[in-house]
Amino acid sequence: MEEKVIKAATVIITAISIIVAGTLLFFPQLHIRAEENRELRAQEAIERKENMDALEMLQYNTANVDSQEGISFDQQLRIALPENVTPEDVSVENDYLTQTIIIKIPGADENYLYNYPMIGKSYHIDNLTYESESEYGVIEISLDSVVELQKTSDEHYIYMDFLTPHEVYDKVVVIDAGHGGNAPGATKQGINEKDIDLAIVLKVKELFDEAGDESVGVYYTRTDDSNPSLEQRVDMANKAGADLFISVHNNSTKSGRMSSINGTAVMYDEEKASEENGSMQLAQICLEEMTAALGSTSKGIVKGHEIYIIRTAEMPVALIEVGFMTNQDELNRLNDEAYQKEAAQAIYNAIYRAFQEGY
Ligand SMILES: [Zn+2]
């Protein structure tokens, strides 16, 4: 019996020894295999990322960080700075008219987003692309709203908060200088309507800039000789959530011939005329302020629903026809800087009066 037990024990011990020895021999291979699996998974992740566009990568990276660190990046984007690039080297351009942000990062190559993941989210981001050019990496962000960017930075990152105009200002106004570029509007004796419209609006801008009222945000559809489309002009007002939309033009007779007809008229949306604090009252305020300041003839408020920017603006809108370019006296005055300044002051006053009256 004892012999049998010893034999059996020997067999068992030998078997165990063989298994242990085999496992020990095999163990390093198991280890290598685990390592290989990790590398494979990393490779797969990179391939997955390579198939992602910049927006998908942003969402992917943000979701990972969110779940790992419990950090929330609501309405904020974090952009990583490449080696030797300071926050000051990065240019950020925020185009209110097209609701596009362009960020140029020096030295960022085609692998920038892999090496320096961008993190964050905003419900205002419609699309986001990345392209590397010779000297810069360019991030382009399309937005569904006019946004104000609030930037902060440290040595590794730039942080950008996306705020709507109304999150920054109590009141928001969009001011539109008519025509522009190769669309001069009325042209009389070498004087273009577009230039007078712009001159007046730039003087309104000077008044707002000098006053520095931080409770009022003012946006301009153009401040140079550009010609935004009508859609862009209205879009800007609608996407800024503007409280008021003021468009500045100058008049001419239907025939375009010089005549005695002169004076200031303001167009409004008669379809929304019954609304309290609507387009009609705003037009009336503008008309009163303009004629009082300029001493011009009142041509009254005029129905303007058929005008695209009036019809499609989602807020009270007034289209001011400051004067007639087809009237010699008025043309001379409109072309005079002092008169333009008075018109600008009247528009500025009309905007504040509208606020006082509850707009
Ligand atoms: Zn015009």
Side-chain angles (χ1 to χ4, degrees), residues 179 185 193 197 249-250 321:
H179 315 282
E193 185 202 333
D197 299 347
H249 284 255
N250 279 283
E321 300 276 12

mmCIF file of all heavy atoms in Angstrom, residues 179 185 193 197 249-250 321, ligand 1:
data_model
loop_
_atom_site.group_PDB
_atom_site.id
_atom_site.type_symbol
_atom_site.label_atom_id
_atom_site.label_comp_id
_atom_site.label_asym_id
_atom_site.label_seq_id
_atom_site.Cartn_x
_atom_site.Cartn_y
_atom_site.Cartn_z
ATOM 1 N N HIS A 179 -25.446 98.371 -49.216
ATOM 2 C CA HIS A 179 -24.616 98.168 -50.425
ATOM 3 C C HIS A 179 -23.146 97.896 -50.073
ATOM 4 O O HIS A 179 -22.867 97.339 -49.025
ATOM 5 C CB HIS A 179 -24.786 99.364 -51.370
ATOM 6 C CG HIS A 179 -26.219 99.759 -51.510
ATOM 7 N ND1 HIS A 179 -27.106 99.072 -52.313
ATOM 8 C CD2 HIS A 179 -26.943 100.734 -50.901
ATOM 9 C CE1 HIS A 179 -28.306 99.633 -52.212
ATOM 10 N NE2 HIS A 179 -28.241 100.635 -51.355
ATOM 11 N N GLY A 185 -25.094 101.154 -54.946
ATOM 12 C CA GLY A 185 -26.380 101.799 -54.664
ATOM 13 C C GLY A 185 -26.573 102.935 -55.639
ATOM 14 O O GLY A 185 -26.072 102.888 -56.774
ATOM 15 N N GLU A 193 -23.779 105.985 -53.136
ATOM 16 C CA GLU A 193 -24.560 105.813 -51.905
ATOM 17 C C GLU A 193 -23.803 104.957 -50.885
ATOM 18 O O GLU A 193 -23.797 105.267 -49.683
ATOM 19 C CB GLU A 193 -25.919 105.167 -52.228
ATOM 20 C CG GLU A 193 -26.809 105.095 -50.995
ATOM 21 C CD GLU A 193 -27.889 104.032 -51.084
ATOM 22 O OE1 GLU A 193 -28.310 103.681 -52.187
ATOM 23 O OE2 GLU A 193 -28.304 103.562 -50.002
ATOM 24 N N ASP A 197 -23.451 105.787 -46.909
ATOM 25 C CA ASP A 197 -24.006 104.849 -45.915
ATOM 26 C C ASP A 197 -22.919 104.418 -44.933
ATOM 27 O O ASP A 197 -23.117 104.424 -43.719
ATOM 28 C CB ASP A 197 -24.578 103.597 -46.611
ATOM 29 C CG ASP A 197 -25.729 103.919 -47.575
ATOM 30 O OD1 ASP A 197 -26.244 105.050 -47.522
ATOM 31 O OD2 ASP A 197 -26.088 103.036 -48.387
ATOM 32 N N HIS A 249 -29.382 103.667 -45.360
ATOM 33 C CA HIS A 249 -29.375 103.854 -46.822
ATOM 34 C C HIS A 249 -29.614 105.321 -47.156
ATOM 35 O O HIS A 249 -29.859 106.135 -46.277
ATOM 36 C CB HIS A 249 -30.498 103.024 -47.465
ATOM 37 C CG HIS A 249 -30.195 101.562 -47.545
ATOM 38 N ND1 HIS A 249 -29.839 100.930 -48.714
ATOM 39 C CD2 HIS A 249 -30.200 100.607 -46.582
ATOM 40 C CE1 HIS A 249 -29.639 99.636 -48.471
ATOM 41 N NE2 HIS A 249 -29.847 99.418 -47.185
ATOM 42 N N ASN A 250 -29.526 105.600 -48.470
ATOM 43 C CA ASN A 250 -29.967 106.910 -48.952
ATOM 44 C C ASN A 250 -30.840 106.726 -50.180
ATOM 45 O O ASN A 250 -30.708 105.746 -50.917
ATOM 46 C CB ASN A 250 -28.763 107.803 -49.216
ATOM 47 C CG ASN A 250 -28.256 108.409 -47.917
ATOM 48 O OD1 ASN A 250 -28.836 109.359 -47.388
ATOM 49 N ND2 ASN A 250 -27.194 107.832 -47.357
ATOM 50 N N GLU A 321 -33.688 105.841 -44.657
ATOM 51 C CA GLU A 321 -33.255 106.529 -45.886
ATOM 52 C C GLU A 321 -32.943 107.965 -45.446
ATOM 53 O O GLU A 321 -33.849 108.784 -45.294
ATOM 54 C CB GLU A 321 -34.376 106.528 -46.935
ATOM 55 C CG GLU A 321 -34.833 105.141 -47.375
ATOM 56 C CD GLU A 321 -33.980 104.526 -48.489
ATOM 57 O OE1 GLU A 321 -32.885 105.072 -48.778
ATOM 58 O OE2 GLU A 321 -34.421 103.511 -49.061
HETATM 59 ZN ZN ZN B 1 -29.735 101.880 -50.651
#
